[in-house]
Amino acid sequence: MKIDEAVSLIRAIPNYPKPGILFQDITPLLADGQAFSAVTDHFAEFARPATSIAGIEARGFIFASALANKMKTGFVPIRKAGKLPHTVFSQSYGLEYGTDILEIHVDAIPFAGEVLLIDDVLATGGTLDAAIQLVNRAGGTVYQILALLEIAALDGRARLAEKYPQIPVHSLVVS
């Protein structure tokens, strides 16, 4: 399956999780094995050997863990507050409809390694900014950001580029 066909399976859900938000439902893409594989194969083009692949809870986990498995490398979960069992670094952030906190284990990045960071949506850039800060605090370096979807009107890419000009961002779908 071609990548354009795969991403065409994403459906828009208006007013979810609250009025005024246009939620992008990726579950039809995930339910189609060929589509999911096409996305994972496309993301693999950006992976470097012997790096860690980090995913942001919850939907970023799906693609990051699948890609880490495909690349036979480590997966680093970046989770919402209170969900990791070991000592963590925490970082608060703003998002399109509120605020939250992300965490990473203090020993999540082995040997101050390079990290490919994956999330499902790039909106305001707040979640990815917090994740980059956490990876840095854990001793790693983000070398690339991958997103399935990007909401261009929210200027997240510009915010990230201003703060992290050395980190390229690749999004499969920009709306």
Side-chain angles (χ1 to χ4, degrees):
M1 175 178 287
K2 294 181 180 178
I3 196 67
D4 291 344
E5 293 173 273
V7 297
S8 73
L9 296 175
I10 299 166
R11 64 181 163 210
I13 308 289
N15 300 312
Y16 183 84
K18 65 186 235 180
I21 303 295
L22 182 62
F23 185 80
Q24 300 297 317
D25 181 12
I26 66 171
T27 58
L29 182 152
L30 296 173
D32 185 304
Q34 290 183 350
F36 186 32
S37 183
V39 171
T40 305
D41 289 347
H42 182 77
F43 280 173
E45 296 172 17
F46 297 92
R48 295 180 185 168
T51 62
S52 295
I53 299 174
I56 302 170
E57 186 173 347
R59 299 185 314 169
F61 277 13
I62 298 165
F63 296 103
S65 60
L67 182 57
N69 183 48
K70 178 181 181 67
M71 303 304 296
K72 300 190 182 348
T73 191
F75 167 68
V76 176
I78 298 175
R79 300 212 59 188
K80 293 180 180 165
K83 297 195 176 183
L84 291 172
H86 184 54
T87 307
V88 297
F89 292 118
S90 298
Q91 183 66 47
S92 63
Y93 66 100
L95 44 118
E96 186 181 358
Y97 46 86
T99 61
D100 214 336
I101 297 172
L102 288 178
E103 295 180 334
I104 191 171
H105 278 146
V106 296
D107 59 357
I109 313 294
F111 314 112
E114 290 187 310
V115 175
L116 175 60
L117 181 59
I118 300 176
D119 203 5
D120 62 323
V121 177
L122 167 55
T124 66
T127 307
L128 285 161
D129 181 18
I132 293 166
Q133 291 179 57
L134 288 170
V135 167
N136 291 342
R137 289 170 65 196
T141 303
V142 174
Y143 73 87
Q144 175 91 29
I145 295 169
L146 302 178
L148 181 64
L149 305 161
E150 179 177 341
I151 304 168
L154 297 177
D155 293 324
R157 179 184 292 264
R159 285 185 193 92
L160 291 171
E162 184 176 321
K163 191 167 182 180
Y164 307 103
Q166 76 283 8
I167 304 175
V169 176
H170 177 76
S171 301
L172 281 178
V173 177
V174 179
S175 63

